Amino acid sequence: MRLKSCIAIGTFLALSLTACGGSAPQGAAAPDTADTSGTIKIGSIHPLTGALAFDGQQMSKAIKFAAEEINNAGGIKSLGGAKLEILDADSQGKPEVGQSEAQRLTQAGAVALVGPYQSAVAAQVATVAERNKVPFVIDVGSADDILKQGYTYTFRLQPSSDALGRFGARYLKELADRTGQKITKVAYLHEQTDYGTSTYASFSDEAAKLGLEVGPQITYDAFKAADLTTELTKVKAAGVDALAVTGYYRDGLLTAKAIASVQPGVKVVFGVSHGAFSSPVFPRDGGAVAEGIYDSNFNYDATKPESKAVLDAFQAKHGEELRFIPFTSYECVRLLAAALEKAASRDPAKIREALAGISFDTLLAFDGPVQFDETGQNKNATPVVLQVQDGKVVPVHPAAKAVAEPRPAAE
């Protein structure tokens, strides 16, 4: 099974990189012969220790896995088959550590950076990338302010907080209509950093346009919270129809535990870019209360057989399921490989130029190929809605990206 999976994904990578600029990419620059020795170094910055290590460690594994598959498929063909080398760094979930590690990686010869999960860390890594003129591809870090600084070397693969919040509100309304559940009042529980706050702001603004009343807004510290029973008691007292939630994995489990304990009486629990509710291990870790929970989030395209090939190959190698957040990190390396093919150069400035003009066919469930606007945001990045059904997380909306029908939470 492992051999078949690796052959399948290796073949897919070879074909996709050729299509994006392989051995003879049409319109690519002439090969850069100034430096053709050694590997091509890519810096990976993620929280490998601390409260977010659950996802951070697998993000690092996914990045190395992508590089290994690309190398096994022939490396960067426009650079004579040059291999990718991943330089790992632990942000510890701290902005100042992420910043210093980004500087260390650029000094070690990284021609591009990928990371870092948290928006606060991404903001600091971006300053280093811009100062050193090294491309930085954000895999996860949604805060809108990151790309409002006039940067030219920073790019984001995932949807912004604004997109995540607005699509979340629209999808909640659409799903209520599809399942026949009347939703008029929504409480919003979110972690208190820019990630949660900015997503809430966009959701609330869009919801008002759709005739939904949002409130109360309840915040918490994701890194210090040990129990969210008090917060869920406030939801119960508000008498709302739905609970929208934005947070990370550990606090997502606290939310599930508090829902089971308090029984807030809502018709729908709806994650908005939640770090837990779309994870394949959440149904097991969250217990019975996880069944029926929705999450509007970026995700791999479950309708594509190539996505399953990646999942199977990762499972065969590491003995664990590749979660949706690390899958995005995996795609960032494929994106950078395509940019390297197109640039035919190790020069960070030429890689940046290739990224700025790229059209990359991603395995993420986006509304089109990866194409960056003038701010560095992937303009086709869109979320989908997933739901826990029968102990599995499956895409249910919109229909073009779904593999199952949405179910009312009571089912």
Side-chain angles (χ1 to χ4, degrees):
M1 180 63 185
R2 178 178 178 178
L3 179 60
K4 290 181 179 178
S5 296
C6 291
I7 291 173
I9 192 60
T11 302
F12 164 68
L13 283 163
L15 290 173
S16 63
L17 289 177
T18 300
C20 293
S23 58
Q26 188 172 2
D32 183 354
T33 57
D35 179 10
T36 58
S37 62
T39 58
I40 300 171
K41 297 176 181 179
I42 295 174
S44 167
I45 308 172
H46 295 91
L48 306 181
T49 57
L52 299 178
F54 175 79
D55 277 312
Q57 290 176 7
Q58 198 181 72
M59 294 168 89
S60 174
K61 288 180 184 177
I63 282 174
K64 293 172 184 174
F65 179 69
E68 178 183 321
E69 295 293 350
I70 290 163
N71 290 342
N72 289 343
I76 307 303
K77 298 176 180 62
S78 68
L79 289 170
K83 307 301 184 185
L84 303 181
E85 177 186 355
I86 304 301
L87 306 181
D88 235 353
D90 180 10
S91 72
Q92 303 175 30
K94 300 174 183 177
E96 67 278 9
V97 175
Q99 183 180 53
S100 63
E101 285 296 274
Q103 185 63 39
R104 178 181 68 82
L105 293 176
T106 58
Q107 291 174 344
V111 299
L113 303 173
V114 176
Y117 194 13
Q118 297 156 278
S119 293
V121 178
Q124 296 304 313
V125 174
T127 64
V128 175
E130 297 297 321
R131 183 170 62 247
N132 289 278
K133 299 188 183 305
V134 171
F136 169 38
V137 180
I138 299 172
D139 49 9
V140 181
S142 60
D144 298 307
D145 287 347
I146 300 170
L147 297 181
K148 291 182 177 179
Q149 312 302 318
Y151 292 153
T152 57
Y153 277 80
T154 302
F155 303 85
R156 177 162 51 208
L157 186 61
Q158 72 157 108
S160 67
S161 289
D162 184 64
L164 288 165
R166 293 187 186 281
F167 271 97
R170 293 171 201 163
Y171 286 161
L172 175 58
K173 180 69 165 59
E174 290 170 7
L175 282 167
D177 293 341
R178 283 185 66 180
T179 58
Q181 293 177 304
K182 185 178 180 181
I183 303 294
T184 60
K185 297 181 179 180
V186 184
Y188 205 116
L189 174 69
H190 67 85
E191 66 84 36
Q192 65 187 14
T193 70
D194 283 350
Y195 156 52
T197 301
S198 57
T199 305
Y200 160 77
S202 295
F203 178 97
S204 183
D205 181 68
E206 190 69 18
K209 297 176 183 177
L210 298 170
L212 299 176
E213 178 184 338
V214 180
Q217 174 193 6
I218 305 166
T219 65
Y220 63 91
D221 187 329
F223 304 103
K224 295 181 180 179
D227 181 88
L228 292 176
T229 300
T230 299
E231 287 76 5
L232 265 294
T233 300
K234 293 178 182 178
V235 174
K236 184 174 184 176
V240 296
D241 304 306
L243 169 62
V245 192
T246 298
Y248 294 107
Y249 195 86
R250 187 188 71 88
D251 47 299
L253 296 183
L254 293 178
T255 300
K257 183 178 180 180
I259 290 171
S261 174
V262 175
Q263 296 290 314
V266 297
K267 299 174 184 176
V268 173
V269 177
F270 192 85
V272 186
S273 180
H274 204 287
F277 297 167
S278 290
S279 174
V281 298
F282 174 66
R284 178 198 67 204
D285 294 345
V289 72
E291 190 70 18
I293 288 181
Y294 291 110
D295 189 33
S296 175
N297 218 328
F298 55 94
N299 197 64
Y300 57 84
D301 191 337
T303 68
K304 291 185 176 181
E306 297 92 343
S307 297
K308 187 176 187 305
V310 174
L311 297 173
D312 288 346
F314 188 89
Q315 176 84 43
K317 180 176 178 62
H318 290 289
E320 60 190 64
E321 291 181 277
L322 180 60
R323 301 186 290 274
F324 76 103
I325 288 175
F327 199 109
T328 309
S329 305
Y330 172 92
E331 281 295 270
C332 283
V333 178
R334 287 214 310 126
L335 170 67
L336 281 170
L340 283 160
E341 290 285 11
K342 181 179 179 182
S345 174
R346 301 164 182 260
D347 182 350
K350 293 181 180 179
I351 299 169
R352 188 221 74 85
E353 184 179 353
L355 281 169
I358 206 162
S359 181
F360 174 72
D361 186 15
T362 180
L363 294 180
L364 296 171
F366 292 161
D367 190 20
V370 175
Q371 295 175 325
F372 297 106
D373 65 19
E374 64 279 0
T375 71
Q377 175 62 45
N378 174 16
K379 58 188 179 182
N380 290 322
T382 48
V384 295
V385 180
L386 301 105
Q387 186 181 33
V388 179
Q389 295 185 358
D390 303 322
K392 294 185 179 298
V393 178
V394 294
V396 296
H397 188 79
K401 300 295 183 182
V403 298
E405 288 292 315
R407 297 177 184 174
E411 288 192 5

